[in-house]
Amino acid sequence: MVKRPPTPIANPLSRIAERNPASLEKYLELFAPLDDKGRYLHFDELRFRFPEGLDHVLAWSIVKLARQRQLSPVLPLGEPPIVGKLMLTPAMQIAISESDRHTTSAALEWMSGKIGEHRHLQYLLNDLVEDEAIGSSQLEGAATTTKVAKDLLKRQRGPRTPDEKMIVGNFRMMQFAWENRHKALSPVLIAELHEVGVAGIDDEKYYPGVFRTTDDVIVQDGDGNTVHMPPPAKGLEKRLARLAEWANANHHDVDNSDYLHPLLKAIVLHFSIGFEHPFRDGNGRVARSLFYWYLFKQDFAAFRYIAISTLLKKAPIQYGKSYLYTETDDMDLSYFADHQCRIVIRAISEFKKTCNKTLEDMEAFNAFLFKSGLYQKLTDKQKTVFQVAKSGIALEFTAVNVKENLGCSYNTAAATLNGLVELKLFKKEKVGREWVFTMLGTDQIIGNWKS
């Protein structure tokens, strides 16, 4: 359980000067919004770091005083409404910089030009677009491996279990967010997003696209403790309309006195849906999808291939605590935003590593093609598929997924794959009603071409 902060003392410095002036200097060292490592810590963590002998209430009051001078109002949340506030931390500044440099549509175009083969990059990206849907499902408890989940999506087979239905639903939700990125936010769009994501999984549990009408929805931790009571169902749609109006307003114009970078606005939108909990279930998935929807809307297109849930699921307790820290400390959104920005920094870093490795692999592959004489024998599509297989981005191929990833006809995709078999680079086997193609081992390929 999170330790709630004590109520701050109104004039802590005066209190210390009156009652314990000898310790004033020690207290003044705490007069900063961040700790000495640049972290924005909640009382739950900070209380263990206060110097020995200091009164925790006074120490916390000093920290709060420093923060209040830098917190800016963002939007009202809940009922009765509490104004959520935000302070820019180092992690937020780094995440904003990384997003501006590496995740815009212009950055994607530059990356494509650097790699030099748009089709090869597109195959990589089409594979990455699945990761958020899978990670978000696993974060919500879907008991399936990433390999099985990718196979499910790539083969486009019908889901057989509730977990598989969740993965397919999340994938559709992300596709819906992308396809509807130019629309204005509204309660109707939020409901549609939920319906697309959860319909057909367990309708009696999720009530697809229907806002909750009762106050019996609660959030519990792993031990069964109630950690969040959402605002009342009465007035929910009105509050969502207010949230939508805020989301649709322009806060990123440089002349706006209420300037808020799109990344931070997307994070606040993520928090707001999680806080309101507008549905009986599936709220986390909707919240994360709306985070992406807003970034897509603001032309941060590379976020389509950057999976935050993959990292969130590695430390779900911290993700949950970032919500609670905000809620238990006067709706200070800095806790949640700082945590999310640290995740975003890592996710962008992983995206960059994948793209750079793709570039290195492609250069090595081109050298192999030239030396072996394969270059003249492979078609452009075969080069793309072979390189993808060689780099490990995908291990199994079917005519259906090659057709989708390369944007060609089914017959062309089948001919591409069968041609790789004829060149003794791939093998194929019948799985159900379709042929599944896989690359041969490197040693076997070399042996085939030496003989």
Side-chain angles (χ1 to χ4, degrees), residues 86-104 252 259-267 295 300 303 337-338 340-342 344-345 348:
L86 186 68
M87 189 196 102
L88 202 60
T89 66
M92 294 181 209
Q93 295 180 62
I94 294 170
I96 288 170
S97 175
E98 289 294 284
S99 298
D100 288 341
R101 292 169 59 204
H102 301 294
T103 71
T104 63
H252 56 270
Y259 177 84
L260 191 63
H261 189 276
L263 174 65
L264 296 182
K265 192 167 178 179
I267 290 171
L295 288 171
F300 287 83
F303 269 94
D338 187 85
Q340 290 293 303
C341 282
R342 291 175 188 276
V344 165
I345 293 167
I348 293 175

Side-chain angles (χ1 to χ4, degrees), residues 12-33:
L13 294 175
S14 299
R15 177 77 64 87
I16 296 165
E18 290 173 5
R19 300 186 180 182
N20 195 0
S23 63
L24 181 60
E25 187 174 347
K26 286 186 177 181
Y27 279 107
L28 285 175
E29 290 176 358
L30 299 174
F31 187 70

